[in-house]
Amino acid sequence: MENKSVSAPQSPGEIADLVSAYIGEHPAAVVVEDGKMLFDFATARYSAAPERDRCLLQIWSEERNIVRRATSAEIRNGILKLSVLRFGQSKPSRMEVCAQAERRSPSALKAMRAAYQRTLERTLARMFPGWTLERITTSADLEHSFGAVCARGRLRRGTERIAVVGCGQGESQSTIDNSVAVAVLWLDYCREHLAARSHTASLALFVPEGRALTAQLRLSHLDREAAQWRLFALDERTEQCEELDLASELNLNTHLVHCFSRQQTLERFAGSIARMSALCPQAEVESVAISSSAVSFRFHGLEFARATLEPDRHFRIRERVVFGAAPAEYEWNDGTEALLVELIDRLRLKRAGRDHLHPFYRLQPERWLQSVVERDLSLIDSRLDPSLFYPQVPAFAASDRAVIDLLGITGDGRLAVIELKAAEDFHLPVQGLDYWARVRQHHRRGDFQRSGYFHGRILSERDPILILAAPALHVHPSTATMLRYFSPELDWTLAALDERWRDGIRVVFRKQNE
């Protein structure tokens, strides 16, 4: 979202819209007030509602609850800056909503990464005696998809080279997990640019101790004939380093969530569904069962309301419906029904009306793409059975939670992992590989039958297939390179979609492993 400055007094509605749009685009945003981080929208909820001449902003979590009157809002340098009033105070104070929890200055990040680079250099000298560190850098090279986060280097001994990538403990877990993609592309880069002088036969990836599980999983399913893949867990404090096993049968500590009956859930919430349908008979509202005790109401994939079963203060179970584009949340009652009707009307006007600049059009594009794909999975791949699939299947590994976009089945009983991206994403191949590996392990254990999935179908003993789908002009240029290094045993397909996918799915070109 671009910088937006305040050139004229803002109406309460304009302030509420800007707050909702910013948080909707940045679901990992955090709230900072008086220099202290108060909320993380990964767990917090909020409401921003115009009331007479003010915008009332309420934010709450399990730890705290605050209410502020927002008098102005603007976006500067990617940060939503609010002027807010506490109750009983006449002088406004500043509140910031930041896209990410990471608020370290560029100079602090640069210093942290420079210190890690020096640690990595000493570690390489100790771990690879007889080899010369030819080069190491953290400089960005956006032309080749290299950022400034991971250190990249080369070790030389005669005409041999080892490509080296390192990711420090100060980086986020997702950055560490995705360092596998950086490592593969760096290996390929070294091979392409040094082919006349040397041979880069192997890659050494260094990640922090205790945070290597996902990288270990992803590396273990790369082509063993294409390169020697090595993974090291580095303790930066002691500089001790351990090489980790990349056995193809890596035993994940993972479990699958039991399947629930979507039809029974919809029947359980028939009252709320009928009530919503009566409220907006003209809208194409989708009622999606997301658990045995919750139904999501969506418009072109965008959730705007949710019905749940919750105990009241007398421990009696009651249906409760909240609405708003998450993490915004308002309870549906007589006092807020007009606000819900207004929200639905705006969704119909802005999302279905294809107002490309409006936040309602831009929010959750992958859910929109998924809702279109679900109409007929066979348009993505003719092998798929369009009548049987599971959306948003969660699988857990220790503290990590993976959610598979779609889990389907082919006509001959093979499981299919379907990963969708509506925008260009550098990490699409390795994320798909991650989900495929989890499904493969559960399948080999027989967990899907035991957990109630694909009832009445005989599952093939063959490994699952992996289908990656994205609009053709939004397939990242590095995707083909990444897929080249996948294990040849992995049956993958890349489906590039027509850019007008909102009107229906059409594959314009397809690539498969050979």
Side-chain angles (χ1 to χ4, degrees), residues 276-332:
M276 184 66 74
S277 299
L279 186 68
C280 48
Q282 304 301 319
E284 299 174 11
V285 173
E286 307 151 349
S287 302
V288 181
I290 54 177
S291 76
S292 60
S293 59
V295 164
S296 170
F297 297 102
R298 300 175 184 176
F299 190 74
H300 291 319
L302 176 63
E303 179 178 280
F304 67 90
R306 178 176 294 203
T308 57
L309 295 176
E310 298 181 4
D312 61 17
R313 61 181 180 178
H314 301 295
F315 302 101
R316 292 174 300 201
I317 300 299
R318 70 179 183 98
E319 285 189 30
R320 179 174 181 261
V321 179
V322 297
F323 66 93
E329 186 174 291
Y330 310 82
E331 184 164 3
W332 182 9

Short mmCIF file of all heavy atoms in Angstrom, two decimals, residues 276-332:
data_model
loop_
_atom_site.label_atom_id
_atom_site.label_comp_id
_atom_site.label_asym_id
_atom_site.label_seq_id
_atom_site.Cartn_x
_atom_site.Cartn_y
_atom_site.Cartn_z
N MET A 276 -28.67 -15.61 7.30
CA MET A 276 -27.77 -14.84 6.45
C MET A 276 -28.33 -14.73 5.04
O MET A 276 -28.28 -13.68 4.40
CB MET A 276 -26.38 -15.48 6.43
CG MET A 276 -25.34 -14.70 5.63
SD MET A 276 -24.93 -13.09 6.38
CE MET A 276 -23.94 -13.65 7.79
N SER A 277 -28.88 -15.83 4.52
CA SER A 277 -29.45 -15.82 3.17
C SER A 277 -30.62 -14.85 3.07
O SER A 277 -30.80 -14.18 2.05
CB SER A 277 -29.90 -17.23 2.78
OG SER A 277 -28.81 -18.13 2.77
N ALA A 278 -31.44 -14.79 4.12
CA ALA A 278 -32.58 -13.87 4.12
C ALA A 278 -32.13 -12.42 4.17
O ALA A 278 -32.78 -11.53 3.61
CB ALA A 278 -33.50 -14.18 5.30
N LEU A 279 -30.99 -12.19 4.84
CA LEU A 279 -30.49 -10.83 4.97
C LEU A 279 -29.93 -10.31 3.65
O LEU A 279 -30.04 -9.12 3.35
CB LEU A 279 -29.40 -10.79 6.05
CG LEU A 279 -28.87 -9.41 6.43
CD1 LEU A 279 -29.95 -8.61 7.15
CD2 LEU A 279 -27.63 -9.53 7.31
N CYS A 280 -29.32 -11.20 2.86
CA CYS A 280 -28.68 -10.77 1.61
C CYS A 280 -29.04 -11.72 0.48
O CYS A 280 -28.17 -12.44 -0.03
CB CYS A 280 -27.17 -10.67 1.78
SG CYS A 280 -26.42 -12.13 2.56
N PRO A 281 -30.29 -11.77 0.06
CA PRO A 281 -30.71 -12.75 -0.95
C PRO A 281 -30.07 -12.52 -2.30
O PRO A 281 -29.97 -13.45 -3.11
CB PRO A 281 -32.23 -12.54 -1.02
CG PRO A 281 -32.44 -11.14 -0.53
CD PRO A 281 -31.40 -10.91 0.50
N GLN A 282 -29.60 -11.31 -2.61
CA GLN A 282 -29.01 -11.03 -3.92
C GLN A 282 -27.53 -11.35 -3.98
O GLN A 282 -26.96 -11.42 -5.06
CB GLN A 282 -29.21 -9.54 -4.26
CG GLN A 282 -30.66 -9.08 -4.23
CD GLN A 282 -31.52 -9.86 -5.20
OE1 GLN A 282 -31.10 -10.14 -6.32
NE2 GLN A 282 -32.72 -10.22 -4.77
N ALA A 283 -26.90 -11.54 -2.85
CA ALA A 283 -25.45 -11.77 -2.82
C ALA A 283 -25.13 -13.25 -2.99
O ALA A 283 -25.85 -14.11 -2.49
CB ALA A 283 -24.87 -11.25 -1.51
N GLU A 284 -24.03 -13.53 -3.70
CA GLU A 284 -23.59 -14.91 -3.90
C GLU A 284 -22.72 -15.33 -2.71
O GLU A 284 -21.50 -15.48 -2.81
CB GLU A 284 -22.80 -15.01 -5.20
CG GLU A 284 -23.61 -14.63 -6.43
CD GLU A 284 -22.77 -14.60 -7.69
OE1 GLU A 284 -21.62 -15.08 -7.65
OE2 GLU A 284 -23.24 -14.09 -8.70
N VAL A 285 -23.37 -15.51 -1.57
CA VAL A 285 -22.66 -15.84 -0.35
C VAL A 285 -22.39 -17.33 -0.28
O VAL A 285 -23.28 -18.15 -0.51
CB VAL A 285 -23.45 -15.38 0.89
CG1 VAL A 285 -22.79 -15.86 2.17
CG2 VAL A 285 -23.58 -13.86 0.90
N GLU A 286 -21.14 -17.70 0.01
CA GLU A 286 -20.75 -19.10 0.16
C GLU A 286 -20.73 -19.45 1.64
O GLU A 286 -20.13 -18.74 2.45
CB GLU A 286 -19.36 -19.32 -0.45
CG GLU A 286 -19.24 -18.84 -1.88
CD GLU A 286 -17.82 -18.42 -2.23
OE1 GLU A 286 -16.99 -18.30 -1.32
OE2 GLU A 286 -17.55 -18.20 -3.42
N SER A 287 -21.39 -20.54 2.01
CA SER A 287 -21.35 -21.03 3.39
C SER A 287 -20.39 -22.21 3.42
O SER A 287 -20.66 -23.25 2.81
CB SER A 287 -22.75 -21.46 3.84
OG SER A 287 -23.66 -20.38 3.75
N VAL A 288 -19.27 -22.04 4.11
CA VAL A 288 -18.20 -23.04 4.10
C VAL A 288 -17.99 -23.58 5.51
O VAL A 288 -17.72 -22.82 6.44
CB VAL A 288 -16.88 -22.43 3.58
CG1 VAL A 288 -15.78 -23.49 3.55
CG2 VAL A 288 -17.09 -21.83 2.19
N ALA A 289 -18.14 -24.90 5.67
CA ALA A 289 -17.87 -25.52 6.97
C ALA A 289 -16.37 -25.60 7.18
O ALA A 289 -15.65 -26.21 6.38
CB ALA A 289 -18.49 -26.91 7.00
N ILE A 290 -15.86 -24.97 8.23
CA ILE A 290 -14.42 -24.96 8.46
C ILE A 290 -14.01 -25.83 9.65
O ILE A 290 -12.84 -26.09 9.85
CB ILE A 290 -13.90 -23.53 8.66
CG1 ILE A 290 -14.67 -22.80 9.77
CG2 ILE A 290 -14.00 -22.75 7.36
CD1 ILE A 290 -14.16 -21.41 10.05
N SER A 291 -14.98 -26.27 10.42
CA SER A 291 -14.74 -27.23 11.50
C SER A 291 -16.11 -27.77 11.90
O SER A 291 -17.14 -27.35 11.37
CB SER A 291 -14.04 -26.58 12.70
OG SER A 291 -14.94 -25.78 13.44
N SER A 292 -16.12 -28.69 12.85
CA SER A 292 -17.41 -29.25 13.29
C SER A 292 -18.24 -28.23 14.06
O SER A 292 -19.43 -28.43 14.27
CB SER A 292 -17.16 -30.48 14.16
OG SER A 292 -16.40 -30.11 15.30
N SER A 293 -17.62 -27.11 14.45
CA SER A 293 -18.34 -26.11 15.25
C SER A 293 -18.23 -24.71 14.68
O SER A 293 -18.36 -23.73 15.41
CB SER A 293 -17.82 -26.12 16.69
OG SER A 293 -16.44 -25.84 16.72
N ALA A 294 -17.97 -24.58 13.38
CA ALA A 294 -17.86 -23.25 12.79
C ALA A 294 -18.16 -23.28 11.29
O ALA A 294 -17.79 -24.22 10.58
CB ALA A 294 -16.46 -22.67 13.02
N VAL A 295 -18.86 -22.24 10.84
CA VAL A 295 -19.15 -22.04 9.42
C VAL A 295 -18.69 -20.65 9.03
O VAL A 295 -18.91 -19.68 9.76
CB VAL A 295 -20.67 -22.20 9.13
CG1 VAL A 295 -21.02 -21.63 7.76
CG2 VAL A 295 -21.08 -23.66 9.20
N SER A 296 -18.01 -20.57 7.89
CA SER A 296 -17.51 -19.31 7.37
C SER A 296 -18.44 -18.83 6.25
O SER A 296 -18.81 -19.61 5.37
CB SER A 296 -16.08 -19.48 6.84
OG SER A 296 -15.65 -18.35 6.14
N PHE A 297 -18.82 -17.55 6.29
CA PHE A 297 -19.59 -16.93 5.21
C PHE A 297 -18.63 -16.11 4.36
O PHE A 297 -17.94 -15.23 4.88
CB PHE A 297 -20.70 -16.05 5.78
CG PHE A 297 -21.72 -16.81 6.59
CD1 PHE A 297 -21.69 -16.78 7.98
CD2 PHE A 297 -22.70 -17.57 5.96
CE1 PHE A 297 -22.61 -17.48 8.73
CE2 PHE A 297 -23.63 -18.28 6.72
CZ PHE A 297 -23.59 -18.24 8.10
N ARG A 298 -18.59 -16.42 3.06
CA ARG A 298 -17.60 -15.79 2.18
C ARG A 298 -18.26 -15.23 0.93
O ARG A 298 -19.28 -15.72 0.47
CB ARG A 298 -16.53 -16.82 1.78
CG ARG A 298 -15.78 -17.38 2.98
CD ARG A 298 -14.82 -18.47 2.59
NE ARG A 298 -14.18 -19.05 3.77
CZ ARG A 298 -13.34 -20.08 3.74
NH1 ARG A 298 -13.05 -20.66 2.57
NH2 ARG A 298 -12.81 -20.54 4.85
N PHE A 299 -17.60 -14.22 0.40
CA PHE A 299 -18.02 -13.62 -0.87
C PHE A 299 -16.81 -13.62 -1.79
O PHE A 299 -15.83 -12.94 -1.53
CB PHE A 299 -18.53 -12.21 -0.63
CG PHE A 299 -19.20 -11.59 -1.82
CD1 PHE A 299 -20.47 -11.99 -2.21
CD2 PHE A 299 -18.56 -10.62 -2.57
CE1 PHE A 299 -21.10 -11.43 -3.31
CE2 PHE A 299 -19.18 -10.06 -3.67
CZ PHE A 299 -20.46 -10.46 -4.04
N HIS A 300 -16.85 -14.45 -2.84
CA HIS A 300 -15.69 -14.66 -3.71
C HIS A 300 -14.44 -14.97 -2.89
O HIS A 300 -13.36 -14.40 -3.11
CB HIS A 300 -15.45 -13.43 -4.59
CG HIS A 300 -16.51 -13.21 -5.63
ND1 HIS A 300 -17.08 -14.24 -6.35
CD2 HIS A 300 -17.12 -12.07 -6.06
CE1 HIS A 300 -17.97 -13.75 -7.19
NE2 HIS A 300 -18.04 -12.44 -7.02
N GLY A 301 -14.59 -15.87 -1.94
CA GLY A 301 -13.45 -16.33 -1.14
C GLY A 301 -13.13 -15.48 0.06
O GLY A 301 -12.39 -15.92 0.95
N LEU A 302 -13.63 -14.27 0.14
CA LEU A 302 -13.32 -13.37 1.25
C LEU A 302 -14.30 -13.60 2.39
O LEU A 302 -15.50 -13.38 2.23
CB LEU A 302 -13.39 -11.91 0.79
CG LEU A 302 -13.17 -10.85 1.88
CD1 LEU A 302 -11.78 -10.95 2.47
CD2 LEU A 302 -13.40 -9.46 1.31
N GLU A 303 -13.78 -14.05 3.53
CA GLU A 303 -14.65 -14.27 4.69
C GLU A 303 -15.06 -12.92 5.26
O GLU A 303 -14.23 -12.07 5.56
CB GLU A 303 -13.93 -15.08 5.76
CG GLU A 303 -14.78 -15.31 6.99
CD GLU A 303 -14.09 -16.16 8.05
OE1 GLU A 303 -14.07 -17.39 7.91
OE2 GLU A 303 -13.54 -15.57 9.01
N PHE A 304 -16.38 -12.74 5.43
CA PHE A 304 -16.88 -11.51 6.04
C PHE A 304 -17.67 -11.80 7.31
O PHE A 304 -18.01 -10.88 8.06
CB PHE A 304 -17.75 -10.73 5.04
CG PHE A 304 -19.04 -11.40 4.68
CD1 PHE A 304 -20.19 -11.15 5.42
CD2 PHE A 304 -19.11 -12.28 3.62
CE1 PHE A 304 -21.39 -11.76 5.10
CE2 PHE A 304 -20.30 -12.90 3.28
CZ PHE A 304 -21.45 -12.64 4.03
N ALA A 305 -18.00 -13.08 7.57
CA ALA A 305 -18.72 -13.43 8.80
C ALA A 305 -18.43 -14.88 9.15
O ALA A 305 -18.04 -15.68 8.27
CB ALA A 305 -20.22 -13.21 8.63
N ARG A 306 -18.63 -15.21 10.41
CA ARG A 306 -18.38 -16.58 10.87
C ARG A 306 -19.37 -16.93 11.98
O ARG A 306 -19.59 -16.13 12.90
CB ARG A 306 -16.95 -16.73 11.38
CG ARG A 306 -16.63 -18.11 11.90
CD ARG A 306 -15.16 -18.22 12.31
NE ARG A 306 -14.27 -18.10 11.16
CZ ARG A 306 -13.04 -18.59 11.14
NH1 ARG A 306 -12.56 -19.22 12.21
NH2 ARG A 306 -12.27 -18.45 10.08
N ALA A 307 -19.95 -18.12 11.88
CA ALA A 307 -20.87 -18.61 12.91
C ALA A 307 -20.16 -19.70 13.71
O ALA A 307 -19.54 -20.60 13.12
CB ALA A 307 -22.14 -19.18 12.27
N THR A 308 -20.24 -19.62 15.01
CA THR A 308 -19.57 -20.60 15.88
C THR A 308 -20.52 -21.03 16.99
O THR A 308 -21.50 -20.34 17.30
CB THR A 308 -18.30 -20.02 16.51
OG1 THR A 308 -18.64 -18.83 17.24
CG2 THR A 308 -17.27 -19.67 15.45
N LEU A 309 -20.21 -22.18 17.59
CA LEU A 309 -20.91 -22.65 18.78
C LEU A 309 -20.04 -22.35 19.99
O LEU A 309 -18.89 -22.81 20.06
CB LEU A 309 -21.19 -24.16 18.69
CG LEU A 309 -22.14 -24.60 17.58
CD1 LEU A 309 -22.24 -26.12 17.55
CD2 LEU A 309 -23.53 -23.99 17.79
N GLU A 310 -20.56 -21.59 20.94
CA GLU A 310 -19.77 -21.19 22.10
C GLU A 310 -20.64 -21.27 23.36
O GLU A 310 -21.85 -21.03 23.31
CB GLU A 310 -19.25 -19.76 21.94
CG GLU A 310 -18.33 -19.58 20.75
CD GLU A 310 -17.81 -18.16 20.65
OE1 GLU A 310 -18.14 -17.35 21.56
OE2 GLU A 310 -17.11 -17.85 19.68
N PRO A 311 -20.02 -21.57 24.51
CA PRO A 311 -20.80 -21.58 25.76
C PRO A 311 -21.06 -20.16 26.25
O PRO A 311 -20.20 -19.29 26.13
CB PRO A 311 -19.87 -22.34 26.73
CG PRO A 311 -18.50 -22.12 26.19
CD PRO A 311 -18.63 -22.02 24.70
N ASP A 312 -22.26 -19.92 26.77
CA ASP A 312 -22.52 -18.62 27.37
C ASP A 312 -22.10 -18.65 28.83
O ASP A 312 -21.48 -19.62 29.29
CB ASP A 312 -24.00 -18.23 27.21
CG ASP A 312 -24.95 -19.22 27.90
OD1 ASP A 312 -24.49 -20.01 28.75
OD2 ASP A 312 -26.16 -19.21 27.57
N ARG A 313 -22.43 -17.61 29.58
CA ARG A 313 -21.96 -17.54 30.98
C ARG A 313 -22.62 -18.58 31.87
O ARG A 313 -22.16 -18.83 32.97
CB ARG A 313 -22.21 -16.14 31.53
CG ARG A 313 -23.66 -15.72 31.56
CD ARG A 313 -23.78 -14.31 32.10
NE ARG A 313 -25.17 -13.88 32.15
CZ ARG A 313 -25.55 -12.69 32.63
NH1 ARG A 313 -24.63 -11.85 33.08
NH2 ARG A 313 -26.84 -12.36 32.65
N HIS A 314 -23.71 -19.18 31.36
CA HIS A 314 -24.35 -20.27 32.10
C HIS A 314 -23.93 -21.64 31.54
O HIS A 314 -24.56 -22.64 31.87
CB HIS A 314 -25.88 -20.12 32.02
CG HIS A 314 -26.39 -18.82 32.58
ND1 HIS A 314 -26.28 -18.49 33.91
CD2 HIS A 314 -27.01 -17.77 31.96
CE1 HIS A 314 -26.81 -17.29 34.11
NE2 HIS A 314 -27.25 -16.83 32.94
N PHE A 315 -22.88 -21.64 30.69
CA PHE A 315 -22.32 -22.86 30.11
C PHE A 315 -23.31 -23.58 29.17
O PHE A 315 -23.19 -24.77 28.95
CB PHE A 315 -21.83 -23.82 31.21
CG PHE A 315 -20.79 -23.22 32.10
CD1 PHE A 315 -21.14 -22.74 33.36
CD2 PHE A 315 -19.47 -23.11 31.67
CE1 PHE A 315 -20.17 -22.16 34.18
CE2 PHE A 315 -18.52 -22.53 32.49
CZ PHE A 315 -18.86 -22.06 33.76
N ARG A 316 -24.25 -22.80 28.64
CA ARG A 316 -25.14 -23.34 27.63
C ARG A 316 -24.58 -23.00 26.26
O ARG A 316 -24.11 -21.88 26.04
CB ARG A 316 -26.55 -22.77 27.78
CG ARG A 316 -27.27 -23.24 29.05
CD ARG A 316 -28.59 -22.55 29.22
NE ARG A 316 -28.42 -21.10 29.32
CZ ARG A 316 -29.32 -20.27 29.86
NH1 ARG A 316 -30.45 -20.76 30.33
NH2 ARG A 316 -29.09 -18.98 29.90
N ILE A 317 -24.63 -23.96 25.33
CA ILE A 317 -24.08 -23.74 24.00
C ILE A 317 -25.03 -22.89 23.18
O ILE A 317 -26.23 -23.16 23.10
CB ILE A 317 -23.81 -25.08 23.29
CG1 ILE A 317 -22.82 -25.92 24.09
CG2 ILE A 317 -23.28 -24.84 21.88
CD1 ILE A 317 -21.46 -25.27 24.27
N ARG A 318 -24.51 -21.85 22.56
CA ARG A 318 -25.32 -20.99 21.71
C ARG A 318 -24.55 -20.68 20.43
O ARG A 318 -23.33 -20.77 20.38
CB ARG A 318 -25.67 -19.68 22.42
CG ARG A 318 -24.48 -18.74 22.61
CD ARG A 318 -24.89 -17.45 23.30
NE ARG A 318 -23.78 -16.52 23.43
CZ ARG A 318 -23.56 -15.50 22.60
NH1 ARG A 318 -24.38 -15.29 21.58
NH2 ARG A 318 -22.55 -14.68 22.79
N GLU A 319 -25.32 -20.33 19.39
CA GLU A 319 -24.70 -19.90 18.14
C GLU A 319 -24.36 -18.42 18.26
O GLU A 319 -25.17 -17.62 18.73
CB GLU A 319 -25.63 -20.12 16.95
CG GLU A 319 -25.74 -21.57 16.53
CD GLU A 319 -26.49 -21.72 15.22
OE1 GLU A 319 -26.42 -20.78 14.38
OE2 GLU A 319 -27.14 -22.76 15.03
N ARG A 320 -23.16 -18.08 17.80
CA ARG A 320 -22.72 -16.69 17.81
C ARG A 320 -22.17 -16.37 16.42
O ARG A 320 -21.37 -17.13 15.87
CB ARG A 320 -21.63 -16.47 18.87
CG ARG A 320 -21.08 -15.06 18.94
CD ARG A 320 -20.13 -14.94 20.13
NE ARG A 320 -19.58 -13.60 20.27
CZ ARG A 320 -18.36 -13.25 19.84
NH1 ARG A 320 -17.58 -14.16 19.27
NH2 ARG A 320 -17.92 -12.02 19.99
N VAL A 321 -22.60 -15.27 15.84
CA VAL A 321 -22.13 -14.86 14.52
C VAL A 321 -21.39 -13.53 14.67
O VAL A 321 -21.92 -12.57 15.22
CB VAL A 321 -23.30 -14.71 13.53
CG1 VAL A 321 -22.77 -14.26 12.16
CG2 VAL A 321 -24.06 -16.02 13.40
N VAL A 322 -20.15 -13.51 14.20
CA VAL A 322 -19.37 -12.28 14.15
C VAL A 322 -19.09 -11.96 12.70
O VAL A 322 -19.06 -12.86 11.85
CB VAL A 322 -18.05 -12.39 14.95
CG1 VAL A 322 -18.33 -12.63 16.43
CG2 VAL A 322 -17.17 -13.50 14.40
N PHE A 323 -18.88 -10.69 12.40
CA PHE A 323 -18.64 -10.30 11.02
C PHE A 323 -17.57 -9.22 10.95
O PHE A 323 -17.21 -8.61 11.95
CB PHE A 323 -19.93 -9.83 10.35
CG PHE A 323 -20.52 -8.56 10.92
CD1 PHE A 323 -20.20 -7.33 10.38
CD2 PHE A 323 -21.38 -8.62 12.02
CE1 PHE A 323 -20.74 -6.16 10.91
CE2 PHE A 323 -21.93 -7.47 12.55
CZ PHE A 323 -21.60 -6.23 12.00
N GLY A 324 -17.09 -9.00 9.74
CA GLY A 324 -16.00 -8.05 9.49
C GLY A 324 -14.87 -8.77 8.76
O GLY A 324 -14.72 -9.98 8.88
N ALA A 325 -14.10 -8.05 7.96
CA ALA A 325 -12.96 -8.66 7.26
C ALA A 325 -11.84 -8.87 8.27
O ALA A 325 -11.26 -7.92 8.78
CB ALA A 325 -12.50 -7.76 6.12
N ALA A 326 -11.53 -10.15 8.57
CA ALA A 326 -10.59 -10.50 9.65
C ALA A 326 -9.28 -9.72 9.49
O ALA A 326 -8.81 -9.50 8.39
CB ALA A 326 -10.30 -12.00 9.61
N PRO A 327 -8.72 -9.31 10.68
CA PRO A 327 -9.15 -9.62 12.04
C PRO A 327 -10.18 -8.64 12.63
O PRO A 327 -10.32 -8.58 13.84
CB PRO A 327 -7.83 -9.56 12.82
CG PRO A 327 -7.04 -8.51 12.11
CD PRO A 327 -7.39 -8.63 10.66
N ALA A 328 -10.85 -7.88 11.78
CA ALA A 328 -11.94 -7.05 12.29
C ALA A 328 -13.07 -7.95 12.78
O ALA A 328 -13.32 -9.00 12.20
CB ALA A 328 -12.46 -6.12 11.20
N GLU A 329 -13.78 -7.55 13.82
CA GLU A 329 -14.80 -8.44 14.38
C GLU A 329 -15.88 -7.64 15.10
O GLU A 329 -15.59 -6.81 15.96
CB GLU A 329 -14.15 -9.44 15.34
CG GLU A 329 -15.09 -10.50 15.86
CD GLU A 329 -14.35 -11.54 16.69
OE1 GLU A 329 -13.57 -12.30 16.11
OE2 GLU A 329 -14.55 -11.55 17.92
N TYR A 330 -17.15 -7.90 14.71
CA TYR A 330 -18.32 -7.30 15.35
C TYR A 330 -19.34 -8.42 15.54
O TYR A 330 -19.52 -9.26 14.65
CB TYR A 330 -18.95 -6.22 14.47
CG TYR A 330 -17.99 -5.18 13.95
CD1 TYR A 330 -17.20 -5.45 12.82
CD2 TYR A 330 -17.86 -3.94 14.57
CE1 TYR A 330 -16.32 -4.50 12.33
CE2 TYR A 330 -16.97 -2.99 14.09
CZ TYR A 330 -16.20 -3.27 12.97
OH TYR A 330 -15.32 -2.34 12.49
N GLU A 331 -20.02 -8.45 16.67
CA GLU A 331 -21.04 -9.48 16.86
C GLU A 331 -22.34 -9.04 16.20
O GLU A 331 -22.78 -7.89 16.31
CB GLU A 331 -21.28 -9.74 18.35
CG GLU A 331 -22.27 -10.87 18.56
CD GLU A 331 -22.25 -11.43 19.98
OE1 GLU A 331 -21.50 -10.89 20.82
OE2 GLU A 331 -22.99 -12.40 20.24
N TRP A 332 -22.98 -9.99 15.50
CA TRP A 332 -24.22 -9.70 14.80
C TRP A 332 -25.37 -9.70 15.80
O TRP A 332 -25.68 -10.71 16.43
CB TRP A 332 -24.44 -10.75 13.71
CG TRP A 332 -25.68 -10.53 12.87
CD1 TRP A 332 -26.50 -9.44 12.86
CD2 TRP A 332 -26.22 -11.44 11.91
NE1 TRP A 332 -27.52 -9.60 11.95
CE2 TRP A 332 -27.37 -10.83 11.35
CE3 TRP A 332 -25.86 -12.71 11.47
CZ2 TRP A 332 -28.15 -11.43 10.38
CZ3 TRP A 332 -26.62 -13.31 10.49
CH2 TRP A 332 -27.76 -12.68 9.95
#
